Amino acid sequence: MEGDGSDSLVTIKNIERELICPACKELFTHPLILPCQHSLCHKCVKELLLTHDDSFNDVGSDNSNQSSPRLRLPSPSMDKIDRISRPGWKRGSLTPRTTTFPCPGCEHDVDLGERGISGLFRNFTLETIVERYRQAARAATAIMCDLCKPPPQESTKSCMDCSASYCNECFKIYHPWGTVKAQHEYVGPTTNFRPKILMCPEHETERINMYCELCRRPVCHLCKLGGDHSNHRVTTMSSAYKTLKEKLSKDIDYLIGKESQVKSQISELNLLMKETECNGERAKEEAVTHFEKLFEILEERKSSVLKAIEASKKLRLDKFQTQVEEYQGLLENNGLVGYAQEVLKETDQSCFVQTAKQLHLRIQKATESLKSFRPAAQTSFEDYVVNTSKQTELLGELSFFSSGIDVPEINEEQSKVYNNVLINWYHPEKDKADSYVLEYRKINRDEEMLSWNEIEVCGTSKVISDLESNCNYAFRVRAYKGSICSPCSRELILHTPPAPVFSFLFDEKCGYNNEHLLLNLKRDRVESRAGFNLLLAADRIQVGYYTSLDYIIGDVGITKGKHFWAFRVEPYSYLVKAGVASSDKLQEWLRSPRDAVSPRYEQDSGHDSGSEDACFDSSQPFTLVTIGMKKFFIPKSATSANEPENRVLPMPTSIGIFLDYDKGRVAFYDMDHMKCLYERQVDCSHTMYPAFALMGSGGVQLEEPITAKYLEYQEHM
């Protein structure tokens, strides 16, 4: 028996690697089985969900609690607009919490569905093995009685029905003869208590009695009758147990029978590891030699360049010094002037003429030099600036000899930045690459070189989260085939939005005109229908008037902080206005509907257009810019030119809006280049809402947040 116990202990300790959670790198605690069949601790799944939910909803925000700058307020309906705009009123987000995260075991995204964690099975078998391992590791540590008064006694048995451990005395007290508790199942001392019957996570009152062959998971009869597995092929639990146990036993027996082959391959792998170690060190030495040669060339060129600069500097300084001495000679009682003054004292005419002739020529030359002063040399060394741009680019692409793997290229059109960053790349020989490494780093304004962050990717696209707002990031990618890698691709520079992305949907209640506007089921797209109703309204339009705008706003309000959101205007749109509006201005608009309005009333300025320049500086409770006919119109201001061409820009593919509530500023961005097109003050004394208005045919689509699901959709397309 002792020998059996020793063998069991050795076996348990040898499988420790299989008992480590890939997320927390510790022994499993209440492991759950993911849809990809890997297991994670219950707490690790919760932490992963919370982490990805925060990155989806509040990337870069300062807080994630109730004091967060993004206070989620509902849209103001006609009869409640005054009440709901009071401070402190809020509700939960309409945006569903994310149920998708990458599995740390296989790095593939898994979706837990609507039920989330509650829809996962607990891996009781793994939990039991972990408990046996813990007991083997702490064999000298006793499990104490849970019911003893201090100090507790060592337990002798554990009750599986009570989920508690007892000493002999306490067990007799709490499980007296002749009672129901006397029939409880008890085992040796343990801390692992598992239910006798496995219940269905979808239907919590139903026990598991079938196995779905398609989904490869246990199910109950309700799952088969009307649930997600109604059209799937299922088998009885006993049949599945017998089949899987036979397959597993057969595979294990095969592996045990190949033990000598496995040991031989392990020896071969150990030799390969030693060979790899030697070859790696040799490759490092050769690389160092090559770089030292480059350093020698650079040092030689550096010395040559510095000598040339020093020689030129000395020559120029000598010329300047000579010129300084010549000019010093022009001073009174000094140099040439002093000598001439002494010559003038000569009284002998013939001697004076003999000396003065040459002296006069020198004085004339000095006089001309004084009238047209020119430095003897240049001070600039611009001809001596070393041009290293080409060499820097070559050194940046320095890599190994061609390994037969083409360089992947980042697809700039399919790569984008919003709440997260999506990087998509193209590889001509996609099937020849085992994996890719995506590198990215932040670019500081002072061009400080930060280290690269690396992510290993199996596919040709990746979503990166947790990047700082209003920053430039560089991205590049390289391919791997076995142990050989390709050179890095050209870098792609992307600028993140100026603030965390604000999540909202179109409000279908507040002022929504379903006769003119068509809202999709997801409430992230609205279209203006210029149909029969608009023609009927045209009968009432007089000369010089046009039909009114149809307003629609976001279902979430803003009361503090910085926020950013983006949308696309369909190219066929005739007239679309977009921006922000306060709750009190919405009340005015929605309670005073007009079938027609004067063309002199500019709805994006809040006053008569004739006095626009005079009143522009006054802060308004709303700002709307005009977009239409594939153009973006910058509102007039006192400082802007009157020519229309200076205020009309091509319509960007995607338009972003940045609201700084605390400073009362709103800005409009070209999302393709993250460039600010227009900025102005706005009165933020009330709750602010994203606001849109349409007239004639048109459509507005809110930008979809970049998530793991977005990536899967892109790959599918």
Side-chain angles (χ1 to χ4, degrees), residues 409-426:
E409 291 297 330
I410 294 180
N411 190 327
E412 296 186 19
E413 294 183 357
Q414 295 185 12
S415 299
K416 61 181 297 187
V417 57
Y418 192 37
N419 61 314
N420 294 322
V421 172
L422 168 64
I423 302 298
N424 197 303
W425 57 91
Y426 169 76

Side-chain angles (χ1 to χ4, degrees), residues 55 62 95 137 140 153 188 213 260 293 356 440 472 533 566 655:
S55 65
D62 298 330
T95 305
Q153 300 295 315
E213 296 182 353
S260 59
K293 288 181 179 179
Y440 67 96
N472 283 318
N533 291 330
I655 301 170

